[in-house]
């Protein structure tokens, strides 16, 4: 699972980003010590950093320059500063992308996913495996012991979320919210229909009881 560090001193925005990222299958790191922020980054390596510019102690530009002395981790500036010079400085100092507040959550998630894919494509294949069941993201197929079934777009997104939270109970509300944020517009009833279809497809390839329903809690794989 990808880990994303959010370097943001506004607690409201920090919490908003944390919830957004976690609900989309990312682990989140929230450093608190802005006096030793570089040391914090080195102690908790992440796959990507969301970096504000206006920060206490030292601004995001200096932090970005400091990171680039020891790491090529992807950095997206997420800031209320919106001049051309701010964006130019961000890129010149080693930032990979620049998004202004208030941001569109769908666009932010798309930029994150795109940057992660470009950076880690060779080491994170588009395949997820749990209990011998393999999910192939590139061709929307689920496979077990040589047998496979094709998933629809909604079914694939549901399974990606469940795979990325394997071993944990996933509340139905989290799944619905995740799918809505992915522009798939699935309501609670549609989710039940999709889960039923996925179970039928799993059964067709020899997998039973892979998705467990936890009464009044959600789903678990």
């Amino acid at each position: 699972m990808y880990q994303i560090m959010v370097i943001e001193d506004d607690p409201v925005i920090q919490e908003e980003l944390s919830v957004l990222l976690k609900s989309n299958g990312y682990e989140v790191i929230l450093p608190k010590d802005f006096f030793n922020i570089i040391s914090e980054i080195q102690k908790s390596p992440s796959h990507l950093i969301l970096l504000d510019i206006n920060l206490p102690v030292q601004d995001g530009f200096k932090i970005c320059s400091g990171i680039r002395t020891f790491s090529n981790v992807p950095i997206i500036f997420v800031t209320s500063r919106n001049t051309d010079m701010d964006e130019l400085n961000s890129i010149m100092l080693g930032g990979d992308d620049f998004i202004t507040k208030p941001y569109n959550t769908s666009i932010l998630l798309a930029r994150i996913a795109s940057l992660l894919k470009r950076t880690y494509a060779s080491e994170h294949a588009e395949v997820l495996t749990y209990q011998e069941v393999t999910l192939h993201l590139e061709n929307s197929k689920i496979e077990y012991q040589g047998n496979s079934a094709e998933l629809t777009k909604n079914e694939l997104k549901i399974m990606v979320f469940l795979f990325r939270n394997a071993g944990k109970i996933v509340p139905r509300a989290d799944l619905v919210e995740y799918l809505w944020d992915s522009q798939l517009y699935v309501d609670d009833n549609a989710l039940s229909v999709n889960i039923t279809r996925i179970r039928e497809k799993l059964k067709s390839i020899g997998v039973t009881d892979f998705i467990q329903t936890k009464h009044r809690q959600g789903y678990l794989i």
Side-chain angles (χ1 to χ4, degrees), residues 26-108:
Y26 298 110
E27 289 186 359
V28 178
I29 302 171
L30 301 175
K32 303 294 184 184
D33 184 1
F34 288 97
F35 286 92
N36 298 288
I37 191 65
I38 294 297
S39 177
E40 289 274 299
I41 296 166
Q42 290 174 319
K43 288 178 183 175
S44 304
S46 57
H47 293 101
L48 184 145
I49 292 175
L50 299 183
L51 178 61
D52 193 10
I53 293 177
N54 295 325
L55 293 167
V57 187
Q58 55 183 331
D59 64 29
F61 294 140
K62 291 181 180 177
I63 294 172
C64 183
S65 296
I67 294 171
R68 286 293 175 252
T69 63
F70 63 89
S71 173
N72 290 318
V73 61
I75 297 174
I76 298 178
F77 280 91
V78 182
T79 177
S80 57
R81 290 170 56 164
N82 59 3
T83 69
D84 290 343
M85 187 56 68
D86 287 325
E87 185 168 359
L88 178 61
N89 283 335
S90 299
I91 302 304
M92 293 295 290
L93 292 170
D96 297 280
D97 206 343
F98 185 91
I99 295 177
T100 57
K101 302 171 184 173
Y103 46 80
N104 178 298
T105 56
S106 296
I107 291 175
L108 175 61

Side-chain angles (χ1 to χ4, degrees), residues 92-192:
M92 293 295 290
L93 292 170
D96 297 280
D97 206 343
F98 185 91
I99 295 177
T100 57
K101 302 171 184 173
Y103 46 80
N104 178 298
T105 56
S106 296
I107 291 175
L108 175 61
L109 289 171
R111 297 273 188 91
I112 289 171
S114 177
L115 191 49
L116 286 171
K117 185 176 181 179
R118 289 204 308 271
T119 306
Y120 303 107
S122 60
E123 55 187 274
H124 287 266
E126 296 292 309
V127 171
L128 299 171
T129 299
Y130 185 67
Q131 293 181 346
E132 298 186 61
V133 178
T134 300
L135 189 64
H136 299 272
L137 280 67
E138 290 185 347
N139 57 13
S140 299
K141 287 187 176 179
I142 194 157
E143 181 182 2
Y144 177 71
Q145 294 185 348
N147 299 315
S148 65
E150 190 167 334
L151 301 176
T152 66
K153 188 175 181 180
N154 283 359
E155 293 164 358
L156 177 65
K157 295 292 287 186
I158 290 169
M159 291 308 294
V160 167
F161 197 81
L162 292 177
F163 266 79
R164 286 178 173 166
N165 290 279
K168 305 175 186 175
I169 296 175
V170 175
R172 289 174 61 88
D174 287 2
L175 259 174
V176 171
E177 183 179 346
Y178 167 69
L179 294 166
W180 270 83
D181 282 345
S182 301
Q183 307 296 307
L184 295 177
Y185 308 113
V186 171
D187 60 24
D188 196 68
N189 290 330
L191 176 60
S192 297

